[in-house]
Amino acid sequence: MVSHPGSLAQQEARFGWKTVAPSLLLIALLIVYPVAYNLYLSFFEVKLSGQNEFVGFNNYIDLLADRAFYDSLTVTVIYVVGSTLGTTLLGLGVASLMNHKFPLRGLVRGLVLLPYIAPLISEVFAWQFIFDPVNGIYNHMTVEVLGISDERVNLIGTPGNALLVVIIFDIWKNFPFAYLMILSRLQSINNDLYEAATLDGANRWQRFWNITLPELRFVVGAIVMLRFIWNINKFDEVFLLAPNVKTLPIYTYFTAFTGTIEQGLAAAIAVVQFLLLIGLIFLYIRRVLKW
Amino acid sequence: MVISRILQKTGFYFLIILVLLFTLFPFVQMLSTSLKHQYDWGNPSLIPQKLNWSSYSELLGFQKKEVKVPESIHRLLNNPKLSAEKRQKILDRFTSTSDVFPFINYFINTLLIAGTAAAISLLFAVFGAYSFSRVRYRGRSGIQRGVLLTYMFGGVLLMVPLYQISVQVGLANTSTGSILTLVVIYVVQTLPVSLYMLGNYFRSIPESLEEAAQIDGCSRFKTIFLIIVPLSLPMLVTVYIYAFMIAWNEYLFASVFLKNFNEFYTLPIGLKSLFVSKNAIWDRIMAASILTALPVVFVFMTFEKHLIGGLTEGGVKE
């Protein structure tokens, strides 16, 4: 032992690397390398023949000169801000409801999770049916029951309205995530705090503002950050419900796989989107969370 | 005081009902439409006037689609001058099964692809998570943080390079190659979450148990299988289910890699293709949606306790 001081530790280290190596290799090969390769491709005109042509910053210059890019950027910002805020706020509200005792609470808590766990493709069709111009309940309500509108409209077919539907759909689908995280934090708040505050004459609102919210600060901060990351990258929810809502991922997909296929340009959009994500997260962590 | 209490109670239950209505309505609508006849679709009532099970039995293959050969064609077929070959050709056109939606086929594809990917992911994750939680070496926390960073890379950032790589390696041309690529992509997509969840769980197992086994002469590898795996069974099931659900629902990569291989479609792309095809009939689409959701919802309900615990401990990647 004494003559080989590092041997046990070395053995341990070797075992550690051996067991983690398969996972690391896969992640390096299928996540890290592709990300780097994506950056590389963004400087090329990608040809179907495989003979890619180096074009320097041309893809980026083309992108920044394209109006469609700025439109897509605007749509992305509205979508991400709307869905992130909506998900978090609704999650907060539902969590504070479910934190009270009532009959069948266990069942209700489980049912509320359904939108988050059921397959996206099924849910998308249900929502499309609800907004279907011929059969949907939405048009029945607005035209025949409430009389807000004179004629049946295809809400998902018009990009401006579709964006709103997509945001509401996203809130519906993902609020259970926020709700679960917040609820599990709520349940760990010490009840003594509330009792002491009640004795001091604090009303319900004051207790919420001065005890609950500060206790939830970290979990809400984390939820906003995760939802923000996921929603900026979100492809399937938007694409399957309303492909005419062109957020950056949808714009990238169309550029890469439809019409005049321009995968070099698509790679450039993905890079710009990623830089945007990193920049905004950095700002958020520094300015909002003050970590 | 009493009145305000009652008002508060009523308001509270009203809100609960509102939340339930909002979350469940689309599912109720799905079920309702799947059981309605066409003339009933536009009817806002959720209860079908007359139950229609035909889309379910058609999707599940209980009922062959009726073949109607028009009278005029019958006369044509009876023409003795027609060669047997030609007669068969005409008949085939009417008895063609090409517009039957191969639901069972897609269901099995999805089951196999998601099941395999989740199993491989779990296997890799057991070793990786053991390394993260039990073995001491330099660089460990760096790797762990690096793995978590992959949460930031969305599918769209990987879509173009992965496609290009698979084309260059020659995997994208064949169905076997494409399915293989897809499985490996699902393994990698679920791996960071699996590593993270399992790592956290392994840390909660007392190290003394392993030490005892090692004193008895167990090798490190053996202790993983004899001590860690049996003690983590519920968590292994949870991680498997999460990985499975991610792969079961995945659309983007499936649509990129399986595009040209119809018979290997998974449910998400299969249902999407049904929706845009000429057979886009609401009762069938809704029935297919229900049947796609059922296994996932059933599994979730069965393992709800464990799965919810996993969710709040970071067991998600979108």
Side-chain angles (χ1 to χ4, degrees):
Chain A
M1 283 298 280
V2 182
S3 56
H4 304 283
S7 73
L8 250 186
Q10 270 171 14
Q11 231 178 26
E12 173 99 351
R14 217 173 304 133
F15 184 77
W17 283 103
K18 232 190 322 191
T19 38
V20 83
S23 301
L24 280 193
L25 202 72
L26 262 189
I27 291 175
L29 214 66
L30 277 107
I31 295 182
V32 181
Y33 174 67
V35 169
Y37 189 53
N38 185 74
L39 184 65
Y40 169 85
L41 282 178
S42 71
F43 296 109
F44 284 81
E45 195 185 316
V46 179
K47 302 243 171 79
L48 285 172
S49 60
Q51 301 289 317
N52 297 343
E53 185 190 330
F54 182 75
V55 293
F57 280 95
N58 275 1
N59 283 329
Y60 292 94
I61 294 167
D62 287 353
L63 184 63
L64 294 178
D66 188 0
R67 241 197 75 102
F69 170 69
Y70 296 97
D71 291 345
S72 172
L73 205 60
T74 317
V75 171
T76 311
V77 169
I78 298 172
Y79 164 71
V80 171
V81 171
S83 57
T84 303
L85 281 184
T87 313
T88 314
L89 288 178
L90 187 61
L92 188 63
V94 175
S96 21
L97 276 180
M98 298 295 170
N99 202 28
H100 294 280
K101 280 207 173 69
F102 59 90
L104 294 179
R105 182 169 72 161
L107 179 70
V108 173
R109 277 183 179 178
L111 286 177
V112 167
L113 296 178
L114 262 184
Y116 193 65
I117 57 147
L120 172 67
I121 192 81
S122 310
E123 301 175 333
V124 160
F125 290 140
W127 276 66
Q128 253 152 3
F129 183 79
I130 290 172
F131 290 102
D132 183 63
V134 181
N135 301 306
I137 185 95
Y138 170 79
N139 274 302
H140 175 77
M141 290 298 284
T142 50
V143 178
E144 272 121 49
V145 180
L146 300 173
I148 305 169
S149 168
D150 296 331
E151 51 177 355
R152 291 178 166 252
V153 287
N154 186 357
L155 213 58
I156 293 180
T158 46
N161 293 331
L163 175 58
L164 188 70
V165 176
V166 167
I167 291 175
I168 296 172
F169 174 74
D170 191 277
I171 294 172
W172 174 80
K173 170 128 184 88
N174 294 310
F175 89 87
F177 169 75
Y179 142 77
L180 259 188
M181 304 281 276
I182 294 169
L183 183 66
S184 77
R185 184 74 193 84
L186 274 182
Q187 288 174 326
S188 65
I189 298 177
N190 192 342
N191 223 9
D192 294 351
L193 288 173
Y194 290 107
E195 276 164 26
T198 316
L199 283 180
D200 288 345
N203 65 28
R204 190 179 278 247
W205 178 245
Q206 283 169 327
R207 274 175 283 160
F208 180 77
W209 193 254
N210 294 316
I211 301 173
T212 316
L213 272 188
E215 290 276 336
L216 292 179
R217 194 170 156 257
F218 274 104
V219 75
V220 169
I223 291 169
V224 169
M225 188 159 89
L226 282 174
R227 288 256 51 100
F228 179 80
I229 296 174
W230 286 334
N231 286 350
I232 273 200
N233 289 331
K234 188 70 78 187
F235 172 79
D236 47 7
E237 279 170 31
V238 184
F239 181 76
L240 291 174
L241 185 62
N244 54 0
V245 176
K246 290 203 178 55
T247 58
L248 286 171
I250 314 288
Y251 184 44
T252 312
Y253 183 84
F254 280 133
T255 310
F257 295 106
T258 59
T260 47
I261 291 173
E262 293 174 282
Q263 301 212 324
L265 181 62
I269 308 173
V271 170
V272 170
Q273 184 197 316
F274 183 66
L275 292 178
L276 205 72
L277 172 70
I278 297 282
L280 288 173
I281 286 186
F282 186 74
L283 266 183
Y284 175 74
I285 289 179
R286 275 293 164 83
R287 291 284 158 81
V288 182
L289 297 182
K290 301 201 172 86
W291 281 351
Chain B
M1 196 64 187
V2 176
I3 291 176
S4 91
R5 256 269 168 77
I6 292 172
L7 272 179
Q8 250 180 30
K9 264 261 150 81
T10 326
F12 176 77
Y13 285 114
F14 177 73
L15 286 178
I16 296 274
I17 289 168
L18 211 63
V19 169
L20 275 181
L21 217 62
F22 178 61
T23 46
L24 297 184
F25 182 74
F27 294 103
V28 178
Q29 179 78 72
M30 206 191 295
L31 184 67
S32 147
T33 309
S34 75
L35 293 170
K36 277 181 172 182
H37 286 280
Q38 182 160 8
Y39 62 81
D40 206 8
W41 289 345
N43 183 356
S45 161
L46 289 170
I47 299 159
Q49 289 176 5
K50 196 162 162 269
L51 280 181
N52 168 25
W53 293 99
S54 65
S55 30
Y56 284 97
S57 54
E58 192 188 315
L59 288 173
L60 295 175
F62 295 145
Q63 168 200 318
K64 288 276 164 278
K65 232 180 136 80
E66 268 177 57
V67 183
K68 283 194 202 105
V69 182
E71 195 54 33
S72 57
I73 301 296
H74 259 305
R75 251 176 282 143
L76 187 73
L77 284 172
N78 290 334
N79 188 339
K81 274 190 242 160
L82 208 64
S83 72
E85 196 186 327
K86 258 192 174 155
R87 185 176 299 154
Q88 195 53 45
K89 236 183 192 166
I90 293 171
L91 208 62
D92 276 350
R93 219 196 268 142
F94 284 94
T95 53
S96 152
T97 52
S98 65
D99 69 329
V100 172
F101 180 66
F103 181 82
I104 305 237
N105 191 355
Y106 294 166
F107 191 93
I108 293 171
N109 292 343
T110 321
L111 202 67
L112 288 178
I113 292 179
T116 316
I120 301 174
S121 170
L122 185 63
L123 186 71
F124 279 53
V126 166
F127 289 112
Y130 184 82
S131 174
F132 281 171
S133 58
R134 278 296 202 265
V135 192
R136 276 160 214 92
Y137 54 95
R138 277 183 59 187
R140 188 181 73 170
S141 59
I143 305 174
Q144 265 176 294
R145 246 171 274 147
V147 168
L148 272 187
L149 270 188
T150 58
Y151 268 82
M152 309 248 276
F153 304 132
V156 170
L157 191 60
L158 303 170
M159 170 182 84
V160 170
L162 282 175
Y163 180 72
Q164 286 294 328
I165 293 168
S166 77
V167 168
Q168 280 160 25
V169 183
L171 285 169
N173 302 325
T174 63
S175 55
T176 331
S178 298
I179 293 170
L180 195 76
T181 315
L182 198 61
V183 169
V184 177
I185 289 175
Y186 289 165
V187 170
V188 175
Q189 289 290 312
T190 53
L191 200 52
V193 179
S194 309
L195 280 170
Y196 182 71
M197 282 171 82
L198 279 182
N200 280 348
Y201 192 81
F202 289 171
R203 267 180 219 109
S204 71
I205 299 172
E207 272 186 69
S208 53
L209 288 170
E210 266 175 89
E211 282 158 13
Q214 272 166 13
I215 289 168
D216 287 344
C218 260
S219 74
R220 222 55 207 271
F221 271 112
K222 249 185 170 169
T223 53
I224 296 183
F225 285 105
L226 292 179
I227 309 284
I228 299 287
V229 168
L231 285 175
S232 332
L233 273 185
M235 197 56 186
L236 294 178
V237 172
T238 306
V239 170
Y240 183 85
I241 292 173
Y242 270 120
F244 182 86
M245 278 166 66
I246 292 174
W248 181 270
N249 295 333
E250 207 281 332
Y251 177 83
L252 175 60
F253 290 117
S255 81
V256 170
F257 286 96
L258 297 179
K259 203 173 178 183
N260 301 322
F261 308 106
N262 284 35
E263 68 270 48
F264 297 109
Y265 272 10
T266 55
L267 281 171
I269 37 173
L271 260 66
K272 172 82 177 163
S273 76
L274 170 72
F275 188 67
V276 294
S277 78
K278 64 184 157 68
N279 302 309
I281 307 169
W282 282 115
D283 55 347
R284 266 167 110 195
I285 290 173
M286 291 299 167
S289 297
I290 291 272
L291 291 173
T292 304
L294 224 51
V296 177
V297 172
F298 177 75
V299 167
F300 193 90
M301 293 291 171
T302 315
F303 297 96
E304 191 180 342
K305 266 219 179 90
H306 296 297
L307 288 171
I308 288 179
L311 252 174
T312 50
E313 275 149 34
V316 270
K317 182 181 194 296
E318 283 177 28

